[in-house]
Amino acid sequence: MNTPWWKQAVVYQIYPRSFMDSNGDGIGDLKGITSRLDYLKKLGVDVIWLSPVYQSPNDDNGYDISDYQAIMAEFGTMEDFDELLAKAHEKGLKIVMDLVVNHTSDEHRWFVESRKGDGNRYRDYYIWRDGKEGGGLPNNWGACFGGPAWEFDEERGQYYLHLFSKKQPDLNWDNPAVREDVFDMMTWWCEKGIDGFRMDVISMISKTEDMPDGEIRGLYGDYSPYCVHGPRVHEYLREMNQKVLSKYDLMTVGETAGVTTKEACVYAGNDTGELNMVFQFEHVDVHGPYGKWNEKRMLLTRLKKILSRWQTELSGKAWNSLYWDNHDQPRAVSRFGDDRGPFRVRSAKMLATCLHMMQGTPYIYQGEELGMTNYPFKGPRDFHDIESIHAYEEWCESGRVSHEEFWPCITAVSRDNARTPMQWDDTDQAGFTTGTPWMPVNPNYREINARAELADPDSVFYHYQKLIALRKQYPIIVEGTYRLLMADSEELFVYERILGEEKLLVACNFTDHDTVFHVPREFISGTCLITNYEDGFRDGKLRAYEAMVLRNM
Ligand code: GLC
Ligand code: CA
């Protein structure tokens, strides 16, 4: 079988600011990452996805880029980057860059020129509009990080569109010069030898021309029908593929919020000439009265239905990513497992097993392999993330919801949960820095840290290591088809993978108690590939958060 490398790979996502600080300024950096490559090698991953390391004023921690071809000073220099890339390659690790080209920083040179207006080469690089007659905003859209999606620029005397913060103006992809500049920049990185791109909110680059008011949701109109999977997005991705991607051996993954399986078959279809795979969000999307701010858990039947639909509907047609965690999501073990009770380790291993045995390319977010948990926020001043800060202002300080009501919702899903420093050991600041970390370390670092887990053969770390090794050993994990069993159970997630005569049974208990489960006969005499109970599996029941993978041969 001729399977491309990125279908067999396991990716590890690094949020550089919080991974490893090499110089004691409290901020993670490139040299810090380089110093930890052996750790990643030991885990067994193949690819590192670096969240943005480019020059940025950090309104959104690097997702607001002011120079795509320079490294953020706090992270180091271009020489440090070249060293990281070379060392990674020496060890057989690939590096995938975050590509944030729906928007730039308002401090990017293109925007600085664009706001000067007439007679300027960059005039139409962004989306400028006059206000409505009588002085109103061009339309009623709200921005992702709160407030309206339009900001008036005094210098130019017009409004510009920003679907995220006002320091993240949206680029005008309809302008061919913008596309050429972006493609040239991408080519420059490819020539440096990087191994791929993770494309930030790439489904939002094409906007409808008329940009009408949206349906009011919360305080503002919803832009998504006019900006997500917009009219020319596939045309632009094909052009990007033709002009850049197809010339190199890359891995490409599009962050595509709101994507359906049908759309995914276009973005990441086997022969649609766009991207290799997508990130979809359905399985982490639980909306309540305050939008995404919600402490409710998704029903297991619903989670299974969503993940299973992604398994079957892309099968043979397109490729998907597998993830529980990233820098925008709370910690998986807190969201789906037992983070404070006695089953943290077991539930972290169960979640890993459930995900890693599916079809797709698995992503591990830094610290997930240790079973790191959500942060115990005490008050809104603990937030660093622009999204959480603005959400608290917009919902609570405005008086729309009480603190008591909103607090459990925002702390359950705040992106800051994922952004506390990596827990390397049980020394001060978890070994992340010798200085004061930019964000406090989770106080549970004395118990949960890499050094302790490396010394414990039953740790979450070694469970991940084993799952990764299994994927390399058994092609069925990459190639096999998928079939859900026990769809109606609110307790168990059970599925099969099938490749010719070979079958795997993956059985996971999502509860903290024993649950009846009879192993199908064909697996009884087979082999157990992995389990999270040291004494092996017992027929008749699955114990609390038990997970096992059986093979019929
Ligand atoms: C993506 C990133 C997120 C960022 C946003 C705007 O969703 O993952 O961290 O804030 O895009 O760039
Ligand atoms: Ca540093």
Side-chain angles (χ1 to χ4, degrees):
M1 247 169 289
N2 193 5
T3 308
W5 62 266
W6 43 264
K7 286 193 179 177
Q8 304 173 47
V10 177
V11 182
Y12 188 91
Q13 184 193 352
I14 289 183
Y15 196 67
R17 211 173 183 77
S18 303
F19 190 63
M20 181 67 211
D21 174 23
S22 71
N23 62 351
D25 67 354
I27 297 172
D29 45 52
L30 295 176
K31 277 193 182 330
I33 298 172
T34 306
S35 74
R36 295 292 186 176
L37 289 177
D38 286 334
Y39 170 83
L40 300 180
K41 205 53 206 163
K42 178 152 195 172
L43 183 57
V45 297
D46 310 278
V47 179
I48 298 169
W49 152 25
L50 283 184
S51 274
V53 296
Y54 316 94
Q55 186 180 298
S56 161
N58 283 311
D59 191 50
D60 184 20
N61 286 350
Y63 284 92
D64 49 320
I65 297 168
S66 53
D67 186 343
Y68 291 101
Q69 279 154 269
I71 297 294
M72 191 188 304
E74 289 169 324
F75 290 175
T77 62
M78 196 55 83
E79 286 70 52
D80 296 338
F81 179 85
D82 293 339
E83 190 194 4
L84 169 59
L85 187 64
K87 289 259 163 71
H89 284 172
E90 256 169 47
K91 294 179 196 290
L93 291 164
K94 297 185 188 285
I95 301 239
V96 161
M97 304 296 281
D98 218 312
L99 181 77
V100 189
V101 289
N102 173 69
H103 44 268
T104 68
S105 163
D106 65 340
E107 297 179 34
H108 193 288
R109 188 172 55 91
W110 297 341
F111 190 77
V112 172
E113 294 300 318
S114 190
R115 67 183 355 160
K116 291 180 185 159
D118 278 347
N120 187 306
R121 161 163 155 50
Y122 298 97
R123 194 195 134 82
D124 294 324
Y125 265 50
Y126 296 83
I127 301 174
W128 294 98
R129 290 285 186 279
D130 291 326
K132 278 199 180 127
E133 239 163 275
L137 301 170
N139 67 27
N140 70 353
W141 296 353
C144 249
F145 298 154
W150 297 96
E151 181 74 9
F152 187 73
D153 184 68
E154 294 289 346
E155 188 175 346
R156 171 141 169 172
Q158 276 189 309
Y159 289 91
Y160 64 87
L161 179 72
H162 61 89
L163 297 181
F164 293 88
S165 96
K166 63 181 178 207
K167 285 186 68 63
Q168 292 167 300
D170 282 58
L171 282 165
N172 174 17
W173 274 72
D174 294 339
N175 180 348
V178 167
R179 303 202 295 276
E180 283 313 314
D181 272 353
V182 169
F183 299 158
D184 285 351
M185 174 274 285
M186 291 172 70
T187 300
W188 185 85
W189 281 101
C190 291
E191 288 297 320
K192 230 182 207 313
I194 59 136
D195 303 291
F197 295 106
R198 173 270 184 187
M199 303 186 186
D200 192 70
V201 293
I202 201 70
S203 51
M204 289 159 70
I205 57 176
S206 164
K207 280 86 175 167
T208 59
E209 234 177 85
D210 54 335
M211 305 213 262
D213 281 346
E215 191 191 321
I216 301 280
R217 298 234 177 131
L219 289 177
Y220 297 94
D222 175 21
Y223 61 68
S224 48
Y226 315 103
C227 299
V228 181
H229 318 305
R232 298 178 70 183
V233 64
H234 296 297
E235 176 193 331
Y236 296 154
L237 286 176
R238 277 169 207 169
E239 186 184 343
M240 178 195 283
N241 187 300
Q242 237 169 41
K243 294 192 170 154
V244 187
L245 307 177
S246 59
K247 304 198 169 138
Y248 303 89
D249 180 22
L250 302 176
M251 183 189 115
T252 55
V253 50
E255 190 202 22
T256 46
V259 72
T260 60
T261 50
K262 199 163 160 233
E263 275 281 348
C265 289
V266 186
Y267 282 111
N270 292 343
D271 44 23
T272 48
E274 296 186 23
L275 305 174
N276 295 153
M277 60 187 111
V278 293
F279 281 115
Q280 62 83 21
F281 288 86
E282 278 190 76
H283 69 301
V284 289
D285 200 6
V286 188
H287 270 66
Y290 320 124
K292 75 171 262 190
W293 310 105
N294 198 325
E295 61 171 330
K296 270 204 315 257
R297 280 196 181 198
M298 189 180 275
L299 279 178
L300 185 63
T301 44
R302 182 169 157 74
L303 182 71
K304 291 194 290 189
K305 201 169 166 186
I306 292 171
L307 289 175
S308 301
R309 180 156 38 75
W310 279 89
Q311 288 292 298
T312 51
E313 292 185 6
L314 266 54
S315 179
K317 295 187 202 140
W319 197 251
N320 196 16
S321 316
L322 305 171
Y323 75 94
W324 294 126
D325 267 349
N326 64 38
H327 65 294
D328 295 330
Q329 302 293 334
R331 291 288 181 177
V333 71
S334 299
R335 181 183 253 180
F336 301 103
D338 178 45
D339 63 342
R340 313 247 159 112
F343 302 112
R344 181 186 65 82
V345 169
R346 271 204 226 285
S347 63
K349 292 178 183 174
M350 182 280 286
L351 289 167
T353 310
C354 186
L355 192 76
H356 280 244
M357 290 297 116
M358 290 187 192
Q359 186 169 59
T361 297
Y363 288 69
I364 300 168
Y365 177 70
Q366 66 185 43
E368 179 186 335
E369 78 281 13
L370 306 175
M372 274 178 65
T373 65
N374 278 357
Y375 183 79
F377 300 99
K378 297 214 172 55
R381 286 172 173 222
D382 288 348
F383 291 138
H384 288 71
D385 173 28
I386 181 171
E387 186 191 37
S388 301
I389 293 171
H390 287 170
Y392 189 82
E393 282 169 10
E394 210 163 272
W395 288 96
C396 264
E397 282 170 11
S398 67
R400 300 174 81 223
V401 199
S402 71
H403 173 83
E404 289 64 37
E405 168 85 6
F406 194 60
W407 191 244
C409 300
I410 193 165
T411 51
V413 288
S414 169
R415 308 195 298 181
D416 277 334
N417 285 304
R419 300 177 180 186
T420 60
M422 177 73 176
Q423 293 165 209
W424 291 107
D425 58 39
D426 63 359
T427 64
D428 283 351
Q429 312 302 351
F432 163 71
T433 179
T434 53
T436 308
W438 74 278
M439 223 187 142
V441 172
N442 193 312
N444 62 20
Y445 73 93
R446 292 198 192 270
E447 184 205 340
I448 305 172
N449 64 70
R451 186 190 284 161
E453 298 212 14
L454 288 169
D456 171 9
D458 285 329
S459 65
V460 181
F461 179 93
Y462 288 116
H463 194 84
Y464 271 88
Q465 185 190 58
K466 189 159 182 196
L467 287 169
I468 297 167
L470 287 173
R471 179 167 282 265
K472 312 246 171 279
Q473 194 183 341
Y474 294 97
I476 186 173
I477 300 173
V478 178
E479 311 281 350
T481 55
Y482 171 99
R483 191 164 80 99
L484 181 69
L485 306 178
M486 305 179 72
D488 296 331
S489 169
E490 286 296 356
E491 298 172 310
L492 305 182
F493 196 149
V494 185
Y495 61 88
E496 286 179 346
R497 301 290 308 277
I498 304 148
L499 188 67
E501 297 295 300
E502 186 185 358
K503 272 189 173 188
L504 299 182
L505 177 80
V506 182
C508 300
N509 183 352
F510 270 67
T511 76
D512 62 0
H513 49 262
D514 286 3
T515 303
V516 175
F517 177 68
H518 295 286
V519 174
R521 181 177 303 204
E522 57 190 318
F523 293 100
I524 296 267
S525 55
T527 41
C528 177
L529 300 190
I530 191 166
T531 151
N532 60 350
Y533 273 77
E534 303 69 43
D535 53 357
F537 78 93
R538 311 211 167 140
D539 192 21
K541 67 176 177 192
L542 281 175
R543 289 160 284 179
Y545 293 106
E546 184 163 0
M548 62 187 185
V549 181
L550 305 180
R551 183 166 178 255
N552 67 339
M553 357 178 127

